[in-house]
Amino acid sequence: MDKLVEIRGLTVDFAQGGRSIRALHGIDLDVGAGEAVGLVGESGSGKSVTWLAALGLLPGTASIRGSVMLDGRQMVGAPRSMLETLRGRRVAMIFQDPSSSLNPVLRIGRQIGEALGLHRGLKGAAAEAEAKRLLDRVGIANGARRLRDYPHELSGGMNQRVMIAMALAGEPDLLIADEPTTALDATVQAQILRLLQDIRRDSGMAMVLISHDLGVVAENVDRVCVMYAGRLVEEAASDTLFDRPRHPYTRGLLAALPALDGPRTRLVSIPGSVPEPWNLPKGCAFAPRCGEADETCHGSAPPLVPVNETERVLCFRTRYFPAAPVRQPEPATTMPQGASREAVL
C-alpha cells in the first residue's frame, strides 16, 4: 500500500509558566492511501494533538519538531501559504463539536460556499449547486432550503453532517474524523458511521478515526493505534488488536467494555488516571497503573519495537506476556437506541 502520510519523530512542546511541557514524545505513524486507521486512548493521551500538530493548527505557544510528509511534501515548518493549499484540499478534519466549529451567525450555505471557493474556486450559482449536492450526499433532505438555515436551526446530527459536507468540499485524500459521533444518540451515530463508510467506498479516501469508543473503532478501521501519555503504545491490524491485544493498557481498555448480554458483572476499570504531561513518572508512563510492571518498567522508558511485520508494542513485558485473547467490543451498528458502549476510561 502506498504511503499517503508519514509521521516520524513528532514531538510537541507547549510553553507554560516559563517552562516547556512536552505533550508528544516522538510519534511514528503512517497512513496508507485509502486506508482507515483508528486512534484510541483516554483523554489527554495526545490523539487530537498529533493531528493538529501535523496540520499546523496548534497555537503559537507550541513548538513542533519531527517530520510529517504528505506525498513527499514536508508539512512541519512549512510556510502558511503552502499549508493552506494542503489543508482542506488534500487533508480535511472534522472537529469534535460541530456546534462550536460552525459559525453561529452565518448561514449553512455561506459556510460551505467559503470552503468551495477556497479549495475549488467555485463561486455564485456553481458554489450553491455544489453545496446542495454535498448536503444531499451527506443525507440532509431539502438541501436548497437548508442552505439558508443557521446552525442553531439544525439538530446535532444534522450539524455533524454539515461538518462532513464542508470537509468533503475540497475532495480530500485524507479525512481526519476527531470524535465524529460525540454527543449523538446511537441511531444517529450509526447513520454517521455508515455515511463515512459509503464516502470512503465511493471516493477511495483514507481516514483517521479518533475515538474513545472502541466499538466504533472496531467496526470502521483497518488498523488501530493506541496512545497513552503522548506516546504510541501499541499498533496492530484491527482484528489482531481486538482479538489478541498485547500491551497491558490495551487489555485494560478492552476489559472495561460493558457487555450488552449475558450475566451482569462488575466492570474492570484501570486504576488511576493519565498523568499530567508535566508530572510523568520515571520509566514507563503506564507503570504506576499496570499490574504487570516490575523494577525495569519503573526505571527506564521502553522503546516501541516491532513484534512482527504488522504489530508494534511499547512494553518491556511483551516478550514475557504474549498476546492474550480478550472479549470483542460490541458492534457499533447493532447497539440498541439509548444504550452506551463507550469504554469506561
Side-chain angles (χ1 to χ4, degrees):
M1 181 183 298
D2 295 334
K3 293 179 181 178
L4 179 63
V5 177
E6 297 179 70
I7 299 176
R8 294 291 181 271
L10 184 65
T11 64
V12 174
D13 297 279
F14 289 98
Q16 187 178 51
R19 59 177 176 169
S20 180
I21 306 298
R22 177 150 294 185
L24 289 185
H25 301 261
I27 301 299
D28 292 340
L29 176 63
D30 296 332
V31 180
E35 183 184 25
V37 177
L39 205 57
V40 302
E42 294 168 274
S43 295
S45 295
K47 306 183 300 298
S48 298
V49 171
T50 297
W51 287 99
L52 291 173
L55 297 178
L57 294 174
L58 290 177
T61 57
S63 174
I64 305 170
R65 295 181 177 85
S67 172
V68 179
M69 303 294 290
L70 174 63
D71 274 351
R73 303 174 71 179
Q74 179 61 256
M75 297 182 68
V76 174
R80 181 177 177 179
S81 57
M82 173 185 163
L83 291 176
E84 288 178 347
T85 64
L86 299 177
R87 293 192 299 237
R89 189 66 183 89
R90 298 296 310 281
V91 182
M93 188 166 186
I94 304 172
F95 297 96
Q96 290 189 26
D97 185 5
S99 62
S100 62
S101 300
L102 294 171
N103 192 321
V105 300
L106 296 181
R107 298 180 190 273
I108 295 300
R110 179 173 174 182
Q111 298 189 58
I112 299 177
E114 287 181 351
L116 290 169
L118 179 63
H119 302 305
R120 292 166 59 184
L122 298 180
K123 303 290 183 182
E128 183 176 353
E130 179 63 8
K132 180 182 179 301
R133 187 193 72 81
L134 287 171
L135 291 187
D136 292 339
R137 180 69 186 88
V138 298
I140 295 181
N142 301 318
R145 181 170 66 86
R146 292 301 183 186
L147 290 174
R148 299 190 295 272
D149 288 344
Y150 291 94
H152 72 269
E153 297 179 281
L154 304 179
S155 67
M158 292 180 71
N159 275 323
Q160 190 64 282
R161 291 172 187 269
V162 170
M163 290 295 296
I164 296 174
M166 292 177 65
L168 297 177
E171 299 178 331
D173 299 312
L174 172 63
L175 178 66
I176 312 298
D178 191 356
E179 299 282 1
T181 58
T182 296
L184 301 179
D185 64 47
T187 301
V188 177
Q189 173 181 275
Q191 293 170 355
I192 295 295
L193 293 171
R194 280 197 298 269
L195 170 62
L196 291 174
Q197 288 176 339
D198 292 343
I199 291 170
R200 287 192 59 239
R201 183 188 63 242
D202 296 342
S203 66
M205 177 181 65
M207 181 176 70
V208 173
L209 178 59
I210 302 172
S211 181
H212 292 89
D213 194 325
L214 298 178
V216 166
V217 171
E219 290 289 298
N220 292 278
V221 304
D222 307 312
R223 181 162 50 92
V224 182
C225 299
V226 183
M227 291 191 68
Y228 184 80
R231 289 182 170 89
L232 193 66
V233 299
E234 183 166 4
E235 177 185 7
S238 180
D239 291 344
T240 301
L241 184 133
F242 287 108
D243 282 341
R244 303 186 67 82
R246 292 181 179 272
H247 198 281
Y249 179 60
T250 309
R251 298 180 194 175
L253 293 179
L254 292 173
L257 286 170
L260 297 182
D261 53 14
R264 292 186 178 183
T265 58
R266 182 178 294 276
L267 293 179
V268 180
S269 62
I270 303 174
S273 59
V274 180
E276 301 292 351
W278 56 85
N279 192 33
L280 292 178
K282 184 180 179 181
C284 175
F286 186 62
R289 306 174 67 189
C290 179
E292 301 173 2
D294 59 13
E295 292 182 2
T296 303
C297 303
H298 290 282
S300 58
L304 182 66
V305 296
V307 178
N308 51 49
E309 293 183 355
T310 59
E311 296 179 73
R312 294 188 296 165
V313 182
L314 185 139
C315 184
F316 288 124
R317 309 291 289 169
T318 300
R319 70 185 67 179
Y320 305 112
F321 292 90
V326 174
R327 175 175 52 84
Q328 280 272 10
E330 302 291 343
T333 55
T334 60
M335 180 180 167
Q337 184 172 357
S340 173
R341 284 177 296 95
E342 183 162 316
V344 180
L345 299 178

